[in-house]
């Protein structure tokens, strides 16, 4: 019994150690009156007047950001909830999760995208294999000098690999903030904009808890080039995100990703010949 007790206590300790309170890491970025606080839970509200969004207090370079999120229940057509990392400026880098609302009974789809040096157009879309409105699920972005990995409940759904050796730019030189928001996007979000937001179902609420950023914090006073050095392992410091075990997917993770792509992906920009007459360079070399 003592072994089990210890195990359970350890689980509790891990839970305490890992997740931070919302206001330790984040602050509301806009529409403060559309935030609802219930203990450790934060709710963002969308109505016909406004959505809402929050931002991390710090910027980071390399590591992992995770949130637990329960999406809008019922008819959420036209709405988008987003969880993303982004740097600043016209040549910014950005890693996006966008959860696209739906009419009741339709599968919830999640769109991922990457911007590199200000250029996006790298959308992938998949239908989630569970109902994300019924319970909290974890969504995370992991980033190091070798790859960017999007995960849902620790299952990788997308990997973007560093292929600088082939002359393809990789986002690694800019510190990034962590953000989330909910807004109305019925011009495109549901069935390409054919299904509009039904405001009689408002307010639409996205619910968050358990915020975790395990990453290299970058002071605003430090130059980008120095942050890149400071957040990379060297002789005197060894960061977990530079360990060989996270330089690429494990065999198990590769199989998970293949399952996601085979069973749940509904759109991949790399296959969109109508949009790209020449296949984007990274698609040619990505073997996933």
């Amino acid at each position: 019994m003592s072994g089990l007790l210890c195990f359970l206590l350890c689980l509790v300790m891990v839970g305490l150690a890992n997740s931070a309170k919302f206001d330790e890491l984040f602050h509301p970025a806009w529409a403060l009156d559309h935030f609802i606080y219930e203990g450790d839970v934060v709710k963002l509200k969308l109505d016909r007047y406004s959505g809402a969004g929050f931002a991390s207090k710090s910027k980071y370079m390399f590591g992992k950001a995770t949130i637990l999120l329960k999406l809008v229940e019922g008819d959420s057509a036209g709405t988008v909830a987003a969880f993303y990392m982004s740097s600043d400026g016209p040549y910014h880098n950005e890693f996006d999760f966008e959860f696209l609302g739906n009419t009741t009974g339709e599968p919830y789809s999640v769109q991922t995208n990457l911007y590199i040096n200000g250029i996006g157009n790298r959308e992938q879309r998949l239908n989630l294999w569970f109902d994300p409105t019924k319970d909290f699920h974890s969504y995370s972005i992991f980033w190091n000098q070798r790859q960017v990995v999007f995960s849902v409940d620790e299952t990788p759904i997308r990997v973007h690999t560093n292929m600088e050796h082939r002359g393809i730019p990789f986002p690694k030189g800019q510190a990034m903030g962590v953000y989330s928001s909910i807004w109305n996007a019925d011009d495109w979000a549901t069935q390409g904009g054919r299904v509009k937001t039904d405001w009689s179902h408002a307010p639409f609420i996205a619910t968050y808890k358990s915020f975790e950023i395990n990453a290299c914090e970058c002071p605003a006073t430090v130059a980008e080039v120095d942050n890149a050095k400071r957040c990379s392992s060297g002789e005197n410091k060894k960061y977990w995100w530079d360990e060989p075990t996270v330089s690429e997917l494990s065999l198990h993770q590769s199989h998970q990703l293949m399952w996601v792509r085979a069973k749940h992906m509904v759109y991949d920009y790399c296959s969109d010949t109508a949009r790209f007459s020449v296949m984007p360079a990274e698609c040619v070399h990505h073997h996933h």
Side-chain angles (χ1 to χ4, degrees), residues 74-257:
D75 182 349
S76 56
T79 70
V80 173
F83 169 54
Y84 61 104
M85 294 180 71
S86 182
S87 59
D88 299 328
Y91 301 104
H92 75 295
N93 298 328
E94 187 176 321
F95 314 138
D96 293 334
F97 274 106
E98 293 176 312
F99 303 97
L100 310 180
N102 58 33
T103 48
T104 309
E106 294 287 315
Y108 236 97
S109 60
V110 56
Q111 179 167 287
T112 57
N113 198 2
L114 289 98
Y115 285 76
I116 301 168
N117 300 332
I119 299 168
N121 300 323
R122 296 180 176 88
E123 297 91 348
Q124 288 183 0
R125 197 176 288 188
L126 54 93
N127 289 335
L128 291 167
W129 51 93
F130 51 83
D131 183 341
T133 71
K134 294 295 180 236
D135 209 346
F136 290 96
H137 291 268
S138 79
Y139 303 94
S140 63
I141 300 166
F142 168 72
W143 170 42
N144 64 11
Q145 298 189 59
R146 303 285 298 272
Q147 59 179 0
V148 180
V149 183
F150 295 80
S151 297
V152 174
D153 292 334
E154 294 301 313
T155 296
I157 64 162
R158 180 174 189 167
V159 176
H160 187 85
T161 310
N162 184 336
M163 291 182 286
E164 288 177 307
H165 62 288
R166 298 186 182 275
I168 298 165
F170 183 79
K172 65 175 193 185
Q174 301 177 33
M176 302 174 86
V178 183
Y179 304 89
S180 189
S181 55
I182 183 170
W183 77 94
N184 179 42
D186 69 3
D187 54 334
W188 65 272
T190 306
Q191 293 181 29
R194 285 191 295 276
V195 182
K196 301 301 182 187
T197 305
D198 181 350
W199 292 110
S200 70
H201 293 155
F204 303 100
I205 292 175
T207 309
Y208 301 78
K209 70 174 185 180
S210 185
F211 305 88
E212 186 183 337
I213 301 176
N214 186 357
C216 186
E217 198 168 338
C218 296
T221 51
V222 177
E224 294 278 19
V225 63
D226 296 325
N227 273 328
K229 284 193 196 117
R230 208 173 53 79
C231 294
S232 303
S233 298
E235 287 176 24
N236 304 321
K237 55 187 188 291
K238 195 76 181 148
Y239 291 121
W240 72 268
W241 51 83
D242 288 328
E243 293 290 333
T245 49
V246 290
S247 66
E248 59 184 12
L249 295 189
S250 68
L251 186 61
H252 175 62
Q253 288 173 319
S254 296
H255 287 156
Q256 287 180 312
L257 180 63

